[in-house]
Amino acid sequence: MPTTSTAPWLDEDEMRLWRAWLRVQTELPAAMGRALHEDSDLSLQDFETLVRLSESGEGRLRVSALADEMHWERSRLSHHLRRMGARGLVEKVECPEDGRGSFVVLTPAGREALEGAAPDHVRTVRQVFLDGMSAQEREALLRVLTRVLDRVGPA
C-alpha cells in the first residue's frame, strides 16, 4: 500500500473487513448454490424465482414486478424464465387486463420442486450462515446490512 499517495487508503482493519465481505459475497452464494443443486437440481436463482412467486399470494407476478423484486434486468430474467419454463417450473401467460404485459405463473411442478427443496435449503442456510452467530450477532448484522442497503439505495 503506497504511503506517499493522497488516496484515502483503507487501514488494515478496514481492508480485512472489506476483503472478508468480498469473499463472503462470492463464496456464500456459490456454496448455497452447490448444496441446493445437489439436493434438488435447482439453482439458487431458480429457488429465488420460485420463492418470490409462491409468496405472491396468487402464485403469479408480472414479469416487471418479479424483475424488480429480484433486482435483475428484465432481459436476464426473461432468459432465465425461458429455461425454467422448458423444465415446467413456471409458465408465462399474457395479461388479460391490458394485453401489454405478461405474468409469470408458478406451475404445480414448480411448487412441488420448491416444497421439495425448501427443507434442505433451510438446513443449509442454518448450517452455513446462521448457526455460527448468536441472536445478538444476527440482530447486529441485520442492522449493519440494512444501513448499507439504505445507503446503496434502490437497485
Side-chain angles (χ1 to χ4, degrees):
M1 183 176 331
T3 56
T4 58
S5 173
T6 59
W9 295 102
L10 300 176
D11 66 31
E12 293 286 327
D13 290 339
E14 291 169 332
M15 183 61 77
R16 271 198 326 275
L17 176 60
W18 179 243
R19 287 184 177 164
W21 169 252
L22 292 176
R23 197 166 162 211
V24 163
Q25 74 175 20
T26 300
E27 292 186 25
L28 181 61
M32 296 301 302
R34 280 191 304 273
L36 187 60
H37 186 72
E38 288 171 10
D39 295 336
S40 68
D41 205 29
L42 292 174
S43 70
L44 202 51
Q45 296 78 12
D46 293 339
F47 189 82
E48 181 181 2
T49 302
L50 296 174
V51 166
R52 301 270 182 180
L53 291 171
S54 74
E55 291 175 342
S56 71
E58 299 176 339
R60 69 181 195 166
L61 287 169
R62 284 190 176 264
V63 174
S64 57
L66 182 59
D68 289 346
E69 283 190 22
M70 294 178 67
H71 304 283
W72 282 21
E73 296 292 326
R74 284 195 62 191
S75 61
R76 177 183 179 201
L77 180 59
S78 291
H79 290 295
H80 191 74
L81 293 174
R82 199 169 13 264
R83 290 188 297 273
M84 289 181 74
R87 293 167 45 216
L89 301 172
V90 299
E91 62 183 358
K92 255 172 113 173
V93 297
E94 295 305 313
C95 178
E97 290 85 28
D98 65 16
R100 293 178 300 151
S102 57
F103 287 104
V104 182
V105 179
L106 179 63
T107 65
R111 187 170 300 281
E112 184 178 326
L114 176 61
E115 290 171 357
D120 287 333
H121 181 66
V122 168
R123 197 171 9 266
T124 302
V125 169
R126 288 188 191 288
Q127 289 172 347
V128 173
F129 187 68
L130 297 171
D131 286 350
M133 290 182 264
S134 69
Q136 295 83 6
E137 288 170 326
R138 288 192 303 268
E139 289 171 18
L141 182 58
L142 179 59
R143 283 193 308 272
V144 169
L145 294 176
T146 299
R147 283 196 311 263
V148 170
L149 289 170
D150 287 346
R151 285 192 302 275
V152 171

